Amino acid sequence: MDLGFRGDVVEFYQRYRRGYPDEAVDAVVAEFGLGGEDVVVDLGCGTGQLTVPFARRVRAAVGVDPEPDMLAAARRAASADNVSWVVGADTDVPALGLALGTVGAVTIGQALHWMDHERLFRAVHSMVRSGGGVAVFTNGTPLWLQDTGWSRALRAFMENYLGTRLTLTCGADEHTQQRYADALSAHFTVRRHLFEYDDHLHVEHIVGGVLSALPVDKLPADRSAFAHALNDVLAPHAPFVERVDVRILTGRRSG
Ligand SMILES: C[S@@+](CC[C@H](N)C(=O)[O-])C[C@H]1O[C@@H](n2cnc3c(N)ncnc32)[C@H](O)[C@@H]1O
């Protein structure tokens, strides 16, 4: 499936998509006992929001993504030199060539909803070492699905722009989290982690965040007019406070 993470979308993604709080990454490091001997595979790595912080904590990280433009941007920006960036998808995991039972963790940030998660969890189980596992991250509720006036105004604007209703939560809703937890529990010991904080946004962040989430063929031709129109819609709802809930589902291999 072509998700359109290419061209200018990549720049918006890299610039406006926030990373994950250190405590969230550290919780996974603690749960799997990750350290200087470990390799972490970050699947659906995008521009490296999870890959790089994990790389700083382990021997090496492998960022895997089907979109070459995302990987190229990640490679250019990466401050860690113990990362390799590999073109691939969830279905390529068994062919990555890593010895079975050796990987410290497989991480997936905001990307599992595009994967065959049951098949993936099965494949990952044989890849990870005992005590290691899989960590599924979400990085908050989409900007246009939150319970605030500015978010409702944004949703109405975007639904009008795209001509469709916006309901997909990218895996952050409770029903989907439970589905993932149930599938994980077939192979792993499952835990849930939640980290919450408030972020104070500027209109620029909201515009950039929205543009980073559009497929490249849906980007507005006139970005400046789009930004002005959105600003007019949002302005009455300032200030723009976002409650960010970072959810992590961990599955730990015990045997
Ligand atoms: C929303 S971005 C997430 C990027 C980053 N992990 C983060 O947490 O911000 C989703 C990424 O998943 C990738 N992706 C989509 N389908 C995939 C698949 N089947 N296997 C691996 N990655 C996939 C996309 O190319 C995109 O870069």
Side-chain angles (χ1 to χ4, degrees), residues 1 3 5 13 17-20 42-51 64-67 70 88-91 108-116 137 139 170 212:
M1 193 191 345
L3 301 170
F5 284 105
Y13 203 98
R17 287 295 184 105
R18 60 168 70 88
Y20 296 83
D42 182 30
L43 202 51
C45 64
T47 52
Q49 280 77 1
L50 268 182
T51 331
V64 181
D65 200 285
E67 292 284 2
M70 293 292 256
D90 56 323
T91 44
I108 302 144
Q110 305 217 107
L112 192 61
H113 48 297
W114 288 307
M115 302 178 190
D116 178 343
F137 287 70
N139 205 2
C170 306
S212 79

Side-chain angles (χ1 to χ4, degrees), residues 33 36 50 84 91-92 115 129 137 161 165 185 190 202 227 247:
L50 268 182
S84 47
T91 44
D92 297 313
M115 302 178 190
R129 63 163 168 73
F137 287 70
Y161 173 76
R165 289 202 61 218
S185 67
V190 179
H202 296 286
R247 294 175 193 280

Side-chain angles (χ1 to χ4, degrees), residues 43 89-91 93-94 106 108 112 115-125 127 134 187-188:
L43 202 51
D90 56 323
T91 44
V93 161
V106 174
I108 302 144
L112 192 61
M115 302 178 190
D116 178 343
H117 63 275
E118 289 179 355
R119 180 174 154 173
L120 177 67
F121 294 159
R122 217 170 24 248
V124 165
H125 182 258
M127 276 179 73
V134 56
H187 309 280
F188 300 96

Side-chain angles (χ1 to χ4, degrees), residues 197-229:
Y197 62 97
D198 285 338
D199 198 4
H200 296 257
L201 307 177
H202 296 286
V203 171
E204 182 197 341
H205 295 131
I206 300 177
V207 174
V210 164
L211 295 177
S212 79
L214 290 176
V216 68
D217 61 338
K218 294 278 194 302
L219 283 178
D222 186 340
R223 311 271 159 82
S224 168
F226 180 90
H228 278 109

